[in-house]
Amino acid sequence: ALFEMALVAQEDKQYSGAQQILAQYLHLYPQDPTVPEVLLRQGLIFRQMGAHNTAIAKFYAVMNSALGLKLEQFDYYQRLVLLAQTEIADTYYIQGKFAEAGDFFARLLKQTSPELNRAQIHFKLIHCLSGLGRHSDVVTQCESFFEKHPGATEAPELHFVCPSSLKQLGRLGDALRHVLTLL
C-alpha cells in the first residue's frame, strides 16, 4: 500500500511526498526483496526533482542492495543492475555531462544482455561524442550504428549528426552523401 501511495504521489507530481512515503517504506521493511526497486524509484523521483547527485547515489544504492539478493534471484539482480547503470548514464546525459555519460553508455554497449536497448544507448553515446567535439569518433560510431541498427528510428537524426562531424573533418563529399540519404 505504501508503494502504491508513493506511485500515486509521483503521478500527481508530489515528489517530496512520494519520497517521504518511500523512505518510510525502506525504514519499515529494510529486508524486503523489493528494496532495490524502491531505491530505483527514489532515484527516478530525485532526478525528476532536479536532484541529480542524489538520484545517482540512489542508483548506486540499487546496485549495492541488489548484491544482497539470493542466488535464485540472479536474473532479477542483473536486470536491476543494468537498469540502474542505464539510469546513471541517462542522468549524466540529461545534465549535459557528456564525458561521464559517454563512458557509461560505452560500458553498457559492451554488455550482452538482450534486455538492453542497444540502438537507444548507441544513439546517446554518439550524441555524447558530438557534444564533446570528438568528430572522428562520431563518424566511426555513426557508421557502426547504421550497420548494426538498420532502419532504427534514431537513424534519420544520426544522418544529420554525422554530416555535421564530417563537415568539421573536411570530408564534404561524405557529408553530402549522408544529407542525400537523409533526404
Side-chain angles (χ1 to χ4, degrees), residues 37-51:
E37 287 182 59
V38 173
L39 292 168
L40 182 69
R41 177 67 52 183
Q42 281 188 308
L44 294 170
I45 294 170
F46 276 123
R47 188 169 68 197
Q48 288 176 310
M49 295 170 71

mmCIF file with all atom_site columns, all heavy atoms in Angstrom, residues 37-51:
data_model
loop_
_atom_site.group_PDB
_atom_site.id
_atom_site.type_symbol
_atom_site.label_atom_id
_atom_site.label_alt_id
_atom_site.label_comp_id
_atom_site.label_asym_id
_atom_site.label_entity_id
_atom_site.label_seq_id
_atom_site.pdbx_PDB_ins_code
_atom_site.Cartn_x
_atom_site.Cartn_y
_atom_site.Cartn_z
_atom_site.occupancy
_atom_site.B_iso_or_equiv
_atom_site.pdbx_formal_charge
_atom_site.auth_seq_id
_atom_site.auth_comp_id
_atom_site.auth_asym_id
_atom_site.auth_atom_id
_atom_site.pdbx_PDB_model_num
ATOM 1   N N   . GLU A 1 37 ? 14.063 -2.046 -5.969  1.00 0.00 ? 37 GLU A N   1
ATOM 2   C CA  . GLU A 1 37 ? 13.083 -1.347 -6.812  1.00 0.00 ? 37 GLU A CA  1
ATOM 3   C C   . GLU A 1 37 ? 12.648 -0.030 -6.182  1.00 0.00 ? 37 GLU A C   1
ATOM 4   O O   . GLU A 1 37 ? 12.446 0.966  -6.887  1.00 0.00 ? 37 GLU A O   1
ATOM 5   C CB  . GLU A 1 37 ? 11.851 -2.224 -7.035  1.00 0.00 ? 37 GLU A CB  1
ATOM 6   C CG  . GLU A 1 37 ? 12.091 -3.367 -7.979  1.00 0.00 ? 37 GLU A CG  1
ATOM 7   C CD  . GLU A 1 37 ? 10.829 -4.182 -8.201  1.00 0.00 ? 37 GLU A CD  1
ATOM 8   O OE1 . GLU A 1 37 ? 9.830  -3.596 -8.659  1.00 0.00 ? 37 GLU A OE1 1
ATOM 9   O OE2 . GLU A 1 37 ? 10.863 -5.383 -7.895  1.00 0.00 ? 37 GLU A OE2 1
ATOM 10  N N   . VAL A 1 38 ? 12.507 -0.020 -4.854  1.00 0.00 ? 38 VAL A N   1
ATOM 11  C CA  . VAL A 1 38 ? 12.129 1.205  -4.149  1.00 0.00 ? 38 VAL A CA  1
ATOM 12  C C   . VAL A 1 38 ? 13.238 2.244  -4.298  1.00 0.00 ? 38 VAL A C   1
ATOM 13  O O   . VAL A 1 38 ? 12.975 3.424  -4.557  1.00 0.00 ? 38 VAL A O   1
ATOM 14  C CB  . VAL A 1 38 ? 11.819 0.912  -2.666  1.00 0.00 ? 38 VAL A CB  1
ATOM 15  C CG1 . VAL A 1 38 ? 11.595 2.203  -1.887  1.00 0.00 ? 38 VAL A CG1 1
ATOM 16  C CG2 . VAL A 1 38 ? 10.599 0.003  -2.544  1.00 0.00 ? 38 VAL A CG2 1
ATOM 17  N N   . LEU A 1 39 ? 14.486 1.805  -4.159  1.00 0.00 ? 39 LEU A N   1
ATOM 18  C CA  . LEU A 1 39 ? 15.620 2.719  -4.336  1.00 0.00 ? 39 LEU A CA  1
ATOM 19  C C   . LEU A 1 39 ? 15.669 3.261  -5.763  1.00 0.00 ? 39 LEU A C   1
ATOM 20  O O   . LEU A 1 39 ? 15.960 4.442  -5.977  1.00 0.00 ? 39 LEU A O   1
ATOM 21  C CB  . LEU A 1 39 ? 16.929 2.008  -3.978  1.00 0.00 ? 39 LEU A CB  1
ATOM 22  C CG  . LEU A 1 39 ? 17.111 1.654  -2.508  1.00 0.00 ? 39 LEU A CG  1
ATOM 23  C CD1 . LEU A 1 39 ? 18.295 0.698  -2.330  1.00 0.00 ? 39 LEU A CD1 1
ATOM 24  C CD2 . LEU A 1 39 ? 17.301 2.914  -1.664  1.00 0.00 ? 39 LEU A CD2 1
ATOM 25  N N   . LEU A 1 40 ? 15.373 2.402  -6.718  1.00 0.00 ? 40 LEU A N   1
ATOM 26  C CA  . LEU A 1 40 ? 15.346 2.839  -8.114  1.00 0.00 ? 40 LEU A CA  1
ATOM 27  C C   . LEU A 1 40 ? 14.269 3.898  -8.309  1.00 0.00 ? 40 LEU A C   1
ATOM 28  O O   . LEU A 1 40 ? 14.502 4.932  -8.949  1.00 0.00 ? 40 LEU A O   1
ATOM 29  C CB  . LEU A 1 40 ? 15.089 1.642  -9.041  1.00 0.00 ? 40 LEU A CB  1
ATOM 30  C CG  . LEU A 1 40 ? 15.086 1.943  -10.527 1.00 0.00 ? 40 LEU A CG  1
ATOM 31  C CD1 . LEU A 1 40 ? 16.482 2.310  -11.010 1.00 0.00 ? 40 LEU A CD1 1
ATOM 32  C CD2 . LEU A 1 40 ? 14.578 0.739  -11.306 1.00 0.00 ? 40 LEU A CD2 1
ATOM 33  N N   . ARG A 1 41 ? 13.110 3.666  -7.747  1.00 0.00 ? 41 ARG A N   1
ATOM 34  C CA  . ARG A 1 41 ? 12.018 4.635  -7.851  1.00 0.00 ? 41 ARG A CA  1
ATOM 35  C C   . ARG A 1 41 ? 12.424 5.948  -7.199  1.00 0.00 ? 41 ARG A C   1
ATOM 36  O O   . ARG A 1 41 ? 12.161 7.017  -7.733  1.00 0.00 ? 41 ARG A O   1
ATOM 37  C CB  . ARG A 1 41 ? 10.762 4.049  -7.185  1.00 0.00 ? 41 ARG A CB  1
ATOM 38  C CG  . ARG A 1 41 ? 9.569  4.960  -7.139  1.00 0.00 ? 41 ARG A CG  1
ATOM 39  C CD  . ARG A 1 41 ? 8.980  5.271  -8.471  1.00 0.00 ? 41 ARG A CD  1
ATOM 40  N NE  . ARG A 1 41 ? 8.699  4.064  -9.212  1.00 0.00 ? 41 ARG A NE  1
ATOM 41  C CZ  . ARG A 1 41 ? 8.224  4.049  -10.444 1.00 0.00 ? 41 ARG A CZ  1
ATOM 42  N NH1 . ARG A 1 41 ? 7.950  5.171  -11.066 1.00 0.00 ? 41 ARG A NH1 1
ATOM 43  N NH2 . ARG A 1 41 ? 8.018  2.930  -11.088 1.00 0.00 ? 41 ARG A NH2 1
ATOM 44  N N   . GLN A 1 42 ? 13.095 5.878  -6.047  1.00 0.00 ? 42 GLN A N   1
ATOM 45  C CA  . GLN A 1 42 ? 13.559 7.103  -5.396  1.00 0.00 ? 42 GLN A CA  1
ATOM 46  C C   . GLN A 1 42 ? 14.536 7.857  -6.298  1.00 0.00 ? 42 GLN A C   1
ATOM 47  O O   . GLN A 1 42 ? 14.463 9.079  -6.407  1.00 0.00 ? 42 GLN A O   1
ATOM 48  C CB  . GLN A 1 42 ? 14.241 6.791  -4.060  1.00 0.00 ? 42 GLN A CB  1
ATOM 49  C CG  . GLN A 1 42 ? 13.293 6.527  -2.933  1.00 0.00 ? 42 GLN A CG  1
ATOM 50  C CD  . GLN A 1 42 ? 14.023 6.426  -1.614  1.00 0.00 ? 42 GLN A CD  1
ATOM 51  O OE1 . GLN A 1 42 ? 14.992 5.677  -1.475  1.00 0.00 ? 42 GLN A OE1 1
ATOM 52  N NE2 . GLN A 1 42 ? 13.555 7.184  -0.634  1.00 0.00 ? 42 GLN A NE2 1
ATOM 53  N N   . GLY A 1 43 ? 15.434 7.126  -6.938  1.00 0.00 ? 43 GLY A N   1
ATOM 54  C CA  . GLY A 1 43 ? 16.385 7.768  -7.842  1.00 0.00 ? 43 GLY A CA  1
ATOM 55  C C   . GLY A 1 43 ? 15.680 8.483  -8.987  1.00 0.00 ? 43 GLY A C   1
ATOM 56  O O   . GLY A 1 43 ? 16.021 9.613  -9.335  1.00 0.00 ? 43 GLY A O   1
ATOM 57  N N   . LEU A 1 44 ? 14.678 7.829  -9.553  1.00 0.00 ? 44 LEU A N   1
ATOM 58  C CA  . LEU A 1 44 ? 13.922 8.444  -10.655 1.00 0.00 ? 44 LEU A CA  1
ATOM 59  C C   . LEU A 1 44 ? 13.196 9.708  -10.196 1.00 0.00 ? 44 LEU A C   1
ATOM 60  O O   . LEU A 1 44 ? 13.160 10.717 -10.909 1.00 0.00 ? 44 LEU A O   1
ATOM 61  C CB  . LEU A 1 44 ? 12.936 7.439  -11.244 1.00 0.00 ? 44 LEU A CB  1
ATOM 62  C CG  . LEU A 1 44 ? 13.556 6.231  -11.952 1.00 0.00 ? 44 LEU A CG  1
ATOM 63  C CD1 . LEU A 1 44 ? 12.501 5.183  -12.269 1.00 0.00 ? 44 LEU A CD1 1
ATOM 64  C CD2 . LEU A 1 44 ? 14.295 6.658  -13.205 1.00 0.00 ? 44 LEU A CD2 1
ATOM 65  N N   . ILE A 1 45 ? 12.635 9.641  -8.996  1.00 0.00 ? 45 ILE A N   1
ATOM 66  C CA  . ILE A 1 45 ? 11.931 10.814 -8.469  1.00 0.00 ? 45 ILE A CA  1
ATOM 67  C C   . ILE A 1 45 ? 12.914 11.943 -8.176  1.00 0.00 ? 45 ILE A C   1
ATOM 68  O O   . ILE A 1 45 ? 12.642 13.107 -8.495  1.00 0.00 ? 45 ILE A O   1
ATOM 69  C CB  . ILE A 1 45 ? 11.103 10.438 -7.220  1.00 0.00 ? 45 ILE A CB  1
ATOM 70  C CG1 . ILE A 1 45 ? 9.968  9.491  -7.605  1.00 0.00 ? 45 ILE A CG1 1
ATOM 71  C CG2 . ILE A 1 45 ? 10.537 11.689 -6.555  1.00 0.00 ? 45 ILE A CG2 1
ATOM 72  C CD1 . ILE A 1 45 ? 9.237  8.875  -6.421  1.00 0.00 ? 45 ILE A CD1 1
ATOM 73  N N   . PHE A 1 46 ? 14.051 11.617 -7.573  1.00 0.00 ? 46 PHE A N   1
ATOM 74  C CA  . PHE A 1 46 ? 15.050 12.659 -7.311  1.00 0.00 ? 46 PHE A CA  1
ATOM 75  C C   . PHE A 1 46 ? 15.491 13.313 -8.620  1.00 0.00 ? 46 PHE A C   1
ATOM 76  O O   . PHE A 1 46 ? 15.687 14.529 -8.686  1.00 0.00 ? 46 PHE A O   1
ATOM 77  C CB  . PHE A 1 46 ? 16.259 12.098 -6.560  1.00 0.00 ? 46 PHE A CB  1
ATOM 78  C CG  . PHE A 1 46 ? 16.078 12.041 -5.075  1.00 0.00 ? 46 PHE A CG  1
ATOM 79  C CD1 . PHE A 1 46 ? 16.209 10.851 -4.389  1.00 0.00 ? 46 PHE A CD1 1
ATOM 80  C CD2 . PHE A 1 46 ? 15.785 13.188 -4.350  1.00 0.00 ? 46 PHE A CD2 1
ATOM 81  C CE1 . PHE A 1 46 ? 16.050 10.791 -3.016  1.00 0.00 ? 46 PHE A CE1 1
ATOM 82  C CE2 . PHE A 1 46 ? 15.617 13.141 -2.972  1.00 0.00 ? 46 PHE A CE2 1
ATOM 83  C CZ  . PHE A 1 46 ? 15.750 11.940 -2.305  1.00 0.00 ? 46 PHE A CZ  1
ATOM 84  N N   . ARG A 1 47 ? 15.622 12.510 -9.670  1.00 0.00 ? 47 ARG A N   1
ATOM 85  C CA  . ARG A 1 47 ? 16.003 13.088 -10.967 1.00 0.00 ? 47 ARG A CA  1
ATOM 86  C C   . ARG A 1 47 ? 14.908 14.015 -11.475 1.00 0.00 ? 47 ARG A C   1
ATOM 87  O O   . ARG A 1 47 ? 15.196 15.096 -12.001 1.00 0.00 ? 47 ARG A O   1
ATOM 88  C CB  . ARG A 1 47 ? 16.314 11.979 -11.977 1.00 0.00 ? 47 ARG A CB  1
ATOM 89  C CG  . ARG A 1 47 ? 16.904 12.547 -13.265 1.00 0.00 ? 47 ARG A CG  1
ATOM 90  C CD  . ARG A 1 47 ? 17.462 11.491 -14.163 1.00 0.00 ? 47 ARG A CD  1
ATOM 91  N NE  . ARG A 1 47 ? 16.404 10.668 -14.704 1.00 0.00 ? 47 ARG A NE  1
ATOM 92  C CZ  . ARG A 1 47 ? 16.607 9.474  -15.259 1.00 0.00 ? 47 ARG A CZ  1
ATOM 93  N NH1 . ARG A 1 47 ? 17.811 8.960  -15.318 1.00 0.00 ? 47 ARG A NH1 1
ATOM 94  N NH2 . ARG A 1 47 ? 15.598 8.780  -15.738 1.00 0.00 ? 47 ARG A NH2 1
ATOM 95  N N   . GLN A 1 48 ? 13.654 13.620 -11.310 1.00 0.00 ? 48 GLN A N   1
ATOM 96  C CA  . GLN A 1 48 ? 12.556 14.493 -11.715 1.00 0.00 ? 48 GLN A CA  1
ATOM 97  C C   . GLN A 1 48 ? 12.559 15.790 -10.917 1.00 0.00 ? 48 GLN A C   1
ATOM 98  O O   . GLN A 1 48 ? 12.147 16.834 -11.423 1.00 0.00 ? 48 GLN A O   1
ATOM 99  C CB  . GLN A 1 48 ? 11.211 13.776 -11.532 1.00 0.00 ? 48 GLN A CB  1
ATOM 100 C CG  . GLN A 1 48 ? 10.957 12.688 -12.541 1.00 0.00 ? 48 GLN A CG  1
ATOM 101 C CD  . GLN A 1 48 ? 9.663  11.941 -12.269 1.00 0.00 ? 48 GLN A CD  1
ATOM 102 O OE1 . GLN A 1 48 ? 9.402  11.498 -11.149 1.00 0.00 ? 48 GLN A OE1 1
ATOM 103 N NE2 . GLN A 1 48 ? 8.850  11.801 -13.303 1.00 0.00 ? 48 GLN A NE2 1
ATOM 104 N N   . MET A 1 49 ? 13.028 15.724 -9.684  1.00 0.00 ? 49 MET A N   1
ATOM 105 C CA  . MET A 1 49 ? 13.081 16.899 -8.826  1.00 0.00 ? 49 MET A CA  1
ATOM 106 C C   . MET A 1 49 ? 14.292 17.784 -9.149  1.00 0.00 ? 49 MET A C   1
ATOM 107 O O   . MET A 1 49 ? 14.418 18.878 -8.621  1.00 0.00 ? 49 MET A O   1
ATOM 108 C CB  . MET A 1 49 ? 13.153 16.472 -7.347  1.00 0.00 ? 49 MET A CB  1
ATOM 109 C CG  . MET A 1 49 ? 11.919 15.750 -6.857  1.00 0.00 ? 49 MET A CG  1
ATOM 110 S SD  . MET A 1 49 ? 12.133 15.006 -5.205  1.00 0.00 ? 49 MET A SD  1
ATOM 111 C CE  . MET A 1 49 ? 12.158 16.456 -4.168  1.00 0.00 ? 49 MET A CE  1
ATOM 112 N N   . GLY A 1 50 ? 15.193 17.280 -9.984  1.00 0.00 ? 50 GLY A N   1
ATOM 113 C CA  . GLY A 1 50 ? 16.400 18.030 -10.324 1.00 0.00 ? 50 GLY A CA  1
ATOM 114 C C   . GLY A 1 50 ? 17.559 17.781 -9.380  1.00 0.00 ? 50 GLY A C   1
ATOM 115 O O   . GLY A 1 50 ? 18.595 18.434 -9.479  1.00 0.00 ? 50 GLY A O   1
ATOM 116 N N   . ALA A 1 51 ? 17.405 16.841 -8.466  1.00 0.00 ? 51 ALA A N   1
ATOM 117 C CA  . ALA A 1 51 ? 18.476 16.483 -7.527  1.00 0.00 ? 51 ALA A CA  1
ATOM 118 C C   . ALA A 1 51 ? 19.301 15.355 -8.133  1.00 0.00 ? 51 ALA A C   1
ATOM 119 O O   . ALA A 1 51 ? 19.226 14.197 -7.704  1.00 0.00 ? 51 ALA A O   1
ATOM 120 C CB  . ALA A 1 51 ? 17.881 16.085 -6.182  1.00 0.00 ? 51 ALA A CB  1
#
